[in-house]
Amino acid sequence: MSQSSPRPELTPQLCFSTTALRDFLRLSRASIDDSITQNLNALITPSRAGFDPRSTSTRQSRPVGKQQIDPRSCQTFKENVLFQSWQARSDVLNYCASVATSPDPDDPESVIREIESLHERERVVDERLDPYSGRFFPREARTESLAALIRNERGVETIVRARTWNLIGERCGTSGESSEDALSRWRRSQDAQR
C-alpha cells in the first residue's frame, strides 16, 4: 500500500517558496491520487484458491482490472492512506491561504513597490502624445501571488479528489457520499479519538 508523503513543517517560507509548495503537492498527489488504480489493485487478494487451468479456457465476463475490492480493505485504505494524504494537503493549503491574507512585513519588494508607486504619482503624462503612457502596472505583492497560487491549487485539488473518489466508488462500491462528506466524517472521527 502506498504511503502519503509526509507533511512539511508549516512555515511562511514554505508558502513563499512556490517551488517547495508545488513539489509537496505534486509528490503527494502522484503517490496517492495519480496512481489510485495501482493502489486499488494492490488491495485485491491475488488468489484465494489455487490456480485453475480451466480458467484460461473460458472468457471471463468481468475484466480483471475492474474487480470489486473487499470493503474492509477499501475502508482501511481510505482511512489510513487516502484521507491522511488529503488532510495533509488541506492543512498546507489552508495554512498558506492564511499566510497569503496576513500582512507580510518581510516582503523584500515592498520598498521597491512603494518607490515605484511614488514615482508614478509624481510623473506628468501628456496622454495626447502617448495615450498608453498613463497606464501603470504596479508589481504584485508576494502575498497576492501566493493567494492566486493557492486558489489555483485548490481548484486542482477539487478535480483530483473528484477523479480519485469516482474511481474508489467504482472499485469499492462506496455509497453516494461525496468525497468532502466522507473526509469530514473521517476528520470528526479523528477528532473524537484525540
Side-chain angles (χ1 to χ4, degrees):
M1 197 177 321
S2 290
Q3 293 297 316
S4 57
S5 52
R7 188 185 82 185
E9 183 180 347
L10 298 178
T11 63
Q13 290 77 18
L14 168 70
C15 299
F16 289 123
S17 172
T18 56
T19 303
L21 177 60
R22 283 185 168 160
D23 282 350
F24 164 72
L25 295 170
R26 181 179 47 79
L27 289 172
S28 178
R29 289 172 182 148
S31 66
I32 304 300
D33 295 272
D34 293 349
S35 58
I36 190 66
T37 300
Q38 291 87 345
N39 289 325
L40 292 175
N41 285 343
L43 298 176
I44 298 173
T45 305
S47 176
R48 291 185 179 93
F51 176 70
D52 181 8
R54 291 175 288 162
S55 66
T56 59
S57 65
T58 59
R59 181 173 211 114
Q60 299 291 326
S61 61
R62 293 179 68 179
V64 176
K66 298 296 181 188
Q67 204 172 13
Q68 283 293 108
I69 301 169
D70 177 42
R72 289 173 299 193
S73 296
C74 283
Q75 193 62 31
T76 301
F77 173 76
K78 289 187 290 188
E79 290 175 358
N80 296 337
V81 179
L82 182 67
F83 291 152
Q84 288 183 5
S85 176
W86 286 2
Q87 185 62 46
R89 293 197 306 257
S90 291
D91 290 346
V92 169
L93 290 172
N94 290 339
Y95 176 79
C96 288
S98 70
V99 168
T101 57
S102 301
D104 185 11
D106 300 328
D107 188 356
E109 294 187 359
S110 64
V111 173
I112 295 170
R113 280 194 310 279
E114 287 180 30
I115 291 171
E116 286 177 347
S117 179
L118 183 64
H119 284 293
E120 185 58 31
R121 280 186 252 135
E122 293 174 352
R123 194 169 72 154
V124 177
V125 176
D126 185 358
E127 290 189 12
R128 290 178 297 154
L129 298 175
D130 184 4
Y132 300 104
S133 64
R135 294 184 180 174
F136 172 63
F137 301 105
R139 291 180 190 218
E140 190 176 51
R142 68 183 188 163
T143 53
E144 292 171 7
S145 55
L146 176 60
L149 173 67
I150 297 301
R151 276 191 303 277
N152 185 32
E153 291 298 336
R154 281 187 169 157
V156 170
E157 193 68 20
T158 301
I159 293 166
V160 167
R161 287 181 185 184
R163 178 186 167 275
T164 299
W165 196 249
N166 285 339
L167 284 169
I168 287 176
E170 288 175 13
R171 300 290 301 279
C172 296
T174 56
S175 64
E177 185 177 40
S178 73
S179 61
E180 286 305 313
D181 291 341
L183 182 60
S184 295
R185 186 175 40 78
W186 176 80
R187 286 176 181 147
R188 285 191 302 275
S189 73
Q190 295 297 305
D191 289 342
Q193 290 176 3
R194 290 184 188 144

